[in-house]
Amino acid sequence: MMNLDFILAMAAPAGGQAQGNGGLGAMLMPMVILFAIFYFMLIRPQQRKEKERKQMIENIKTGDRVMFSGGILGTVTNIKENTLVVKIADNVKIDVLRGAVSRILEKGDKAPAEDEK
């Protein structure tokens, strides 16, 4: 009866090492390249945009005209830790979370117009 060592020795190539298709490095290389592409094309630009957005939100000051993600336009009258008090009309002030700010409008900017169809 043949033992397992003899069978494995017969199956092994003459050089003593098994010849693979490039080994582990060749298998991992496409995955590393794919991850690098995803990082530089998707993840890194998104992180940069988020960093710019956080900086914009931190730089809001009293008197700035802002637009919120819901489409509300107003002028900041008071700044609290996590919220802004915004005047949206005469005698109408609302508290809004800082994270809802989508844009700070400059002095000459008008409200963005909707796409007309």
Side-chain angles (χ1 to χ4, degrees):
M1 182 174 192
M2 292 187 203
N3 63 12
L4 185 59
D5 292 331
F6 180 72
I7 294 173
L8 291 175
M10 293 289 289
Q17 292 182 351
Q19 292 181 357
N21 293 332
L24 184 63
M27 228 171 35
L28 289 179
M29 198 55 147
M31 294 172 67
V32 169
I33 292 171
L34 190 62
F35 178 76
I37 290 170
F38 274 120
Y39 179 76
F40 286 108
M41 303 265 317
L42 299 173
I43 298 170
R44 190 167 179 222
Q46 186 64 30
Q47 287 175 339
R48 187 178 307 137
K49 283 182 184 179
E50 186 61 27
K51 185 177 178 182
E52 290 172 358
R53 184 175 178 283
K54 284 182 180 181
Q55 185 177 10
M56 176 199 64
I57 290 172
E58 289 175 3
N59 293 334
I60 293 174
K61 56 188 178 298
T62 302
D64 283 347
R65 191 150 189 254
V66 294
M67 182 175 78
F68 296 98
S69 56
I72 297 174
L73 298 170
T75 304
V76 177
T77 58
N78 192 7
I79 299 173
K80 298 179 183 176
E81 188 175 335
N82 294 324
T83 61
L84 304 170
V85 178
V86 180
K87 180 180 177 182
I88 57 173
D90 292 334
N91 299 323
V92 180
K93 293 182 181 179
I94 58 173
D95 288 338
V96 182
L97 292 174
R98 284 179 177 249
V101 175
S102 64
R103 217 169 119 181
I104 298 176
L105 301 173
E106 300 297 326
K107 297 287 183 189
D109 284 351
K110 293 184 178 181
E114 287 187 38
D115 295 333
E116 295 184 24
K117 295 179 183 179

